[in-house]
Amino acid sequence: MNTGEAQPRRVLPDGRFSGPMPWVIAIMIFLAVLAAAAGLSIGRATGAIQGAIAGRITVQIVEANPDVRADKRARIARALRTNANITDVQEVGDAEMRKLLAPWLGADGLEGDLPVPALIDASLRDSSAKTLAAVETAVRSIDATARIDRHADWMGPLSGLLHTLKWLAIALVAVTGVAAAAAVILGSRAAMDQHRATIDVMHLMGATDTQISRQFERRVAQDAISGSALGFVAGIGVLILVGQSIRAVGAGLVTGASLGWFDWLLVLIVPVAGVGLAMLSARITVMRALARIL
């Protein structure tokens, strides 16, 4: 039986990276790692945006007379601070508004009689329609022309876009998994066809289908481990370079997308799952092919 155990080892090529399969798996794992990290990062960014804008409103007061505008802003701010549905109120002063508008209008454009709207930022305890309606009633009892904007309304499209990109990244991980499995299936079938005579001899010498299949699985596992390791290391290297660029930017949106330790654990599962999927695909393919031979 020793001959029966040793002969199937040579059904597939010997040596790491001796055939195309490990390189194909490496490419698939590389893409899957990047896609998984992108999906997790986008998910974190979406959560950060939703957490930042949930319940946030801005009250805009448009009044040409600066004294009347300041009086309305102060009265509305006092009303909001005494409202049980409001947790935080921040007044945006005229000087800060001019500083914000200067890049678009220029310093000369803000001089003279150009009216600058007064803004008040506030946070609601909950973003329900009932709470928002109560706040609108309180504000418009002071200034009927005041405008109330919910941050979620104008940030909603961005959040929807991020959700779409997240699911696209997840779909890409699934597609790369299917492609890797297909590569293993095609490689296993080709090896089975190429060494059909050898397999017949192994059967005559007493080797069972399970014994032959294990040799294929062992060889595929070696290729899958080598390819997954290479793809994972390359993917992590790219992610580290991208992470350094993100930290250099320092913007709130991208920094909120940084991966946590649990996210990195999920990324680490990708190559492990790739090896398991390759072995399972090889086993199913080989066992079905052996059953047809008999």
Side-chain angles (χ1 to χ4, degrees), residues 146-233:
R147 177 178 175 180
I148 301 177
D149 296 322
R150 294 175 66 248
H151 292 194
D153 291 339
W154 50 272
M155 288 295 288
L158 175 59
S159 180
L161 174 61
L162 292 177
H163 272 296
T164 301
L165 293 177
K166 179 182 70 175
W167 286 110
L168 285 176
I170 294 174
L172 181 57
V173 174
V175 169
T176 53
V178 172
V184 172
I185 291 172
L186 293 175
S188 299
R189 286 179 177 176
M192 292 287 292
D193 293 337
Q194 181 180 359
H195 299 279
R196 173 71 175 271
T198 304
I199 294 172
D200 290 339
V201 172
M202 294 301 100
H203 277 145
L204 293 175
M205 295 176 63
T208 65
D209 289 350
T210 301
Q211 289 173 332
I212 297 175
S213 177
R214 284 175 181 171
Q215 305 307 317
F216 275 88
E217 292 174 42
R218 184 180 293 112
R219 186 67 196 106
V220 169
Q222 293 175 358
D223 287 346
I225 292 173
S226 301
S228 296
L230 177 62
F232 180 74
V233 171

Side-chain angles (χ1 to χ4, degrees), residues 24-279:
V24 172
I25 293 177
I27 294 172
M28 296 304 169
I29 294 299
F30 172 76
L31 295 176
V33 166
L34 295 183
L40 293 170
S41 180
I42 292 172
R44 277 188 167 268
T46 304
I49 291 176
Q50 291 177 342
I53 67 177
R56 294 289 298 180
I57 62 171
T58 296
V59 180
Q60 183 178 163
I61 305 166
V62 180
E63 173 61 49
N65 190 314
D67 295 331
V68 176
R69 182 171 65 246
D71 178 67
K72 288 183 177 181
R73 181 179 62 198
R75 291 168 57 195
I76 291 176
R78 284 195 301 268
L80 293 176
R81 291 190 178 98
T82 58
N83 193 317
N85 294 320
I86 303 295
T87 60
D88 179 59
V89 177
Q90 296 180 356
E91 298 182 52
V92 181
D94 291 342
E96 187 175 355
M97 280 296 303
R98 292 180 181 276
K99 183 178 179 180
L100 293 173
L101 294 174
W104 286 270
L105 300 180
D108 296 336
L110 293 173
E111 296 179 356
D113 298 331
L114 180 65
V116 178
L119 299 180
I120 301 174
D121 288 332
S123 297
L124 304 179
R125 291 189 181 277
D126 63 84
S127 55
S128 64
K130 182 179 179 181
T131 299
L132 183 60
V135 172
E136 288 180 347
T137 300
V139 170
R140 294 211 167 98
S141 65
I142 300 174
D143 183 6
T145 62
R147 177 178 175 180
I148 301 177
D149 296 322
R150 294 175 66 248
H151 292 194
D153 291 339
W154 50 272
M155 288 295 288
L158 175 59
S159 180
L161 174 61
L162 292 177
H163 272 296
T164 301
L165 293 177
K166 179 182 70 175
W167 286 110
L168 285 176
I170 294 174
L172 181 57
V173 174
V175 169
T176 53
V178 172
V184 172
I185 291 172
L186 293 175
S188 299
R189 286 179 177 176
M192 292 287 292
D193 293 337
Q194 181 180 359
H195 299 279
R196 173 71 175 271
T198 304
I199 294 172
D200 290 339
V201 172
M202 294 301 100
H203 277 145
L204 293 175
M205 295 176 63
T208 65
D209 289 350
T210 301
Q211 289 173 332
I212 297 175
S213 177
R214 284 175 181 171
Q215 305 307 317
F216 275 88
E217 292 174 42
R218 184 180 293 112
R219 186 67 196 106
V220 169
Q222 293 175 358
D223 287 346
I225 292 173
S226 301
S228 296
L230 177 62
F232 180 74
V233 171
I236 293 299
V238 172
L239 292 176
I240 291 175
L241 293 177
V242 173
Q244 292 176 347
S245 299
I246 289 176
R247 284 192 293 271
V249 172
L253 177 60
V254 292
T255 53
S258 300
L259 298 180
W261 67 269
F262 184 72
D263 299 319
W264 285 111
L265 181 61
L266 293 178
V267 173
L268 181 61
I269 293 176
V270 171
V272 178
V275 173
L277 180 61
M279 293 179 63

